């Protein structure tokens, strides 16, 4: 390990603390076997790194290797506070309760959630460990921002230990309707855990509304506007917890810079040549997850080939499916199903010079992904349920020439902002087929008009603005923000909503 990683002591305390399942760094080993750390890619790290550097911040999380204890260290201006997980805890807390109970439950039970008490017990213990580590490094009156569904108990645990803290929570995935959430045997504990936060952020107004509905029906709390007056066991007010929609975004400027890079543009042309220079390249980019609707888009594309409305050589579908949770049985089954479907489609429709579906079960560097976005004409986002889907925003940001078309599931959070995409219900295969044909045949001027409006929306509301707005709201007095909270949660008065008509002036970023 590099020497710079050992210069911090656990006694240090910080004014701003981020708590997430994973740390913002990855371990790399050079040819000599020496280990060091590099900053992880991704929008969350990009958004919060400047805030943490300016505010004397620390990041609490797991470093990704089980059964290994690390001392706190500094990396690239961020103080790193590792939390240890055993291999058993990875199996029970992460693969079990987080990804085989909460993930399917919160994604509308697309597959059946599993409820095991041993998973819950591990989830509770690990959440307590994260809370304890956070309480130890947070300075008096510090701001703490807890991230995502793996750590829903941390806010209450943290408030019990450190009532002086200002606590925020952000849920990156959907929050289900109360009729679905009510299935969870530990529903009271989870809601109470989340209500330990002063501000709970969600991707969509409907998610915030679902959460408040669950609080009202399951806990019996009175909701005032979009506020919950949280009480202790004696009925005394402890704090006011608020729920707001804060849709996350991307680093649009970095994506645009890469898209304007001559090397990336040359790579995009090379990708099209490698596909046989079809007239239209359709693209899907997803983690290999049952929520993404990969099978639905393959079925629609296959039927268009069968119907003769598209032909191999005229159109090629590129499907990138990044490996995901491959130790979880449902994901193993999904991979087998998708690969069999791709093999059948290609077996029936391939020609000697062209492939119907180019299937890539890999992860790629971000520069390669931007080149792939540039090489593509139509992006297919067919998520059956998705918190946001940042791929949709990356595709739009990459098309600096305003070329291309976006087909976007109405069940993805991005549909709330990108209203000039071709919105579709992915369960309706006939409607999905029509949207594909509409995108393929769309006049260039219409495609450019839609893309310019979406690009403006994304460049105006990038990931940095997302973090600034959330933290500003977290720091506000609940009484002063009551009206603004209600507007944002219900969708009224939101200045970030997409314009209904094309703006007169468009500034590229």
């Amino acid at each position: 390990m590099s020497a710079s990683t050992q210069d911090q002591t656990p006694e240090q305390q910080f004014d701003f603390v981020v708590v997430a399942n994973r740390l913002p760094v990855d371990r790399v080993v050079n040819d000599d076997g020496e280990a060091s750390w590099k900053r992880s890619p991704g929008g969350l790290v990009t958004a919060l790194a400047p805030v943490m550097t300016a505010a004397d911040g620390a990041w609490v999380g797991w470093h990704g290797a089980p059964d290994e204890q690390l001392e706190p260290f500094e990396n690239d201006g961020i103080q790193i506070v590792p939390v240890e997980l055993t291999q058993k805890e990875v199996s029970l807390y992460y693969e079990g309760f987080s990804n085989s109970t909460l993930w399917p439950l919160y994604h509308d039970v697309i597959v059946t959630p599993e409820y095991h008490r041993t998973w819950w017990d591990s989830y509770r213990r690990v959440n307590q460990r994260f809370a304890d580590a956070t309480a130890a490094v947070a300075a008096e009156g510090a701001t703490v921002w807890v991230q995502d569904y793996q750590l829903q108990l941390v806010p209450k645990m943290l408030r019990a230990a450190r009532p002086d803290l200002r606590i925020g929570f952000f849920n990156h995935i959907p929050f289900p309707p109360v009729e679905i959430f009510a299935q969870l045997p530990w529903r009271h504990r989870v809601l109470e855990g989340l209500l330990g936060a002063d501000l709970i952020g969600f991707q969509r107004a409907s998610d915030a509304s679902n959460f408040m509905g669950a609080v009202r029906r399951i806990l019996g709390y009175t909701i005032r506007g979009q506020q919950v007056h949280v009480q202790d066991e004696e009925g005394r007010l402890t704090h006011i917890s608020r729920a707001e929609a804060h849709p996350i975004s991307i680093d649009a400027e970095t994506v645009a810079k890469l898209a304007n890079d001559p090397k990336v543009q040359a790579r995009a042309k090379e990708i099209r040549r490698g596909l046989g220079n079809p007239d239209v390249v359709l693209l899907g980019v997803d983690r290999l997850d049952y929520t993404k609707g990969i099978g639905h888009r393959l079925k629609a594309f296959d039927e268009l080939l069968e119907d003769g409305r598209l032909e191999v050589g005229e159109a090629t579908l590129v499907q990138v499916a990044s490996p995901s949770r491959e130790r979880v049985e449902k994901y193993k089954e999904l991979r087998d199903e998708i690969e069999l479907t791709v093999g059948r489609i290609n077996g029936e429709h391939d020609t000697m010079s062209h492939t119907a579906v180019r299937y890539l079960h890999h992860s790629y560097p971000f520069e390669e992904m931007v080149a792939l976005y540039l090489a593509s004409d139509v992006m297919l986002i067919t998520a059956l349920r998705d918190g946001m889907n940042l791929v949709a925003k990356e595709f739009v940001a990459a098309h600096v020439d305003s070329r291309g078309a976006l087909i976007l599931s109405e069940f993805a959070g991005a549909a709330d902002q990108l209203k000039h995409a071709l919105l579709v219900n992915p369960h309706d295969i006939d409607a999905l087929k029509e949207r594909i044909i509409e995108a393929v045949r769309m006049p260039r001027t219409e495609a450019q008009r839609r893309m310019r409006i979406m690009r403006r929306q994304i460049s105006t509301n990038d990931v940095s603005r997302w973090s600034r707005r959330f933290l500003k709201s977290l720091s506000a007095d609940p009484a002063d923000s009551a009206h603004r909270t209600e507007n944002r949660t219900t969708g009224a008065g939101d200045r970030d909503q997409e314009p209904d008509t094309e703006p007169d002036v468009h500034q590229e970023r």
Side-chain angles (χ1 to χ4, degrees), residues 176-188:
V178 62
E179 293 80 8
I180 292 178
F181 180 79
Q183 296 180 25
L184 185 67
W186 307 278
R187 57 197 186 184
H188 291 80

Side-chain angles (χ1 to χ4, degrees), residues 213-351:
V215 169
R216 181 185 294 109
R217 187 180 304 184
I218 294 172
L219 296 183
Y221 282 20
T222 299
I223 307 299
R224 300 177 181 176
Q226 293 301 320
Q227 300 180 353
V228 181
H229 288 237
V230 183
Q231 301 175 341
D232 61 19
E233 294 179 356
E234 284 73 38
R236 295 171 299 195
L237 177 69
T238 61
H239 66 288
I240 296 174
S241 184
R242 294 173 286 132
E244 296 180 1
H246 285 269
I248 198 170
S249 193
I250 62 170
D251 184 358
E253 187 173 2
T254 294
V255 175
K257 284 181 179 178
L258 283 171
N260 280 309
D261 187 328
K263 292 182 180 179
V264 175
Q265 293 176 350
R267 175 58 183 150
K269 293 177 181 177
E270 183 181 357
I271 289 171
R272 287 191 77 102
R273 287 195 298 271
L275 295 170
N277 281 319
D279 296 333
V280 177
V281 176
L282 299 100
L283 176 64
V285 175
D286 312 88
R287 284 188 309 102
L288 188 58
D289 193 288
Y290 49 77
T291 65
K292 302 299 184 179
I294 299 173
H296 294 64
R297 81 182 59 137
L298 288 174
K299 182 175 180 62
F301 184 65
D302 180 32
E303 289 190 9
L304 287 171
L305 295 177
E306 289 282 357
D307 297 343
R309 301 179 71 185
L310 291 178
E311 295 182 359
V312 174
E314 173 196 15
T316 294
L317 172 60
V318 178
Q319 176 61 58
V320 178
S322 303
S324 175
R325 301 167 188 163
E326 297 202 310
R327 292 169 36 133
V328 178
E329 188 61 33
K330 291 293 184 182
Y331 289 80
K332 296 177 184 177
E333 295 173 4
L334 176 65
R335 178 179 178 179
D336 290 343
E337 177 186 336
I338 295 301
E339 290 180 352
L340 284 171
T341 300
V342 170
R344 180 188 58 77
I345 293 172
N346 286 341
E348 293 178 359
H349 298 291
D350 277 7
T351 68

Side-chain angles (χ1 to χ4, degrees), residues 25-47:
V25 292
D26 297 319
R27 180 159 43 194
V28 293
V29 180
N30 63 22
D31 295 338
D32 297 330
E34 182 180 354
S36 61
W37 299 92
K38 69 174 183 177
R39 183 178 293 182
S40 304
L44 184 63
V45 180
T46 300

Side-chain angles (χ1 to χ4, degrees), residues 487-498:
N487 282 347
R488 180 170 296 148
T489 307
T490 59
D494 191 344
R495 291 174 296 174
D496 294 336
Q497 291 298 310
E498 190 134 318

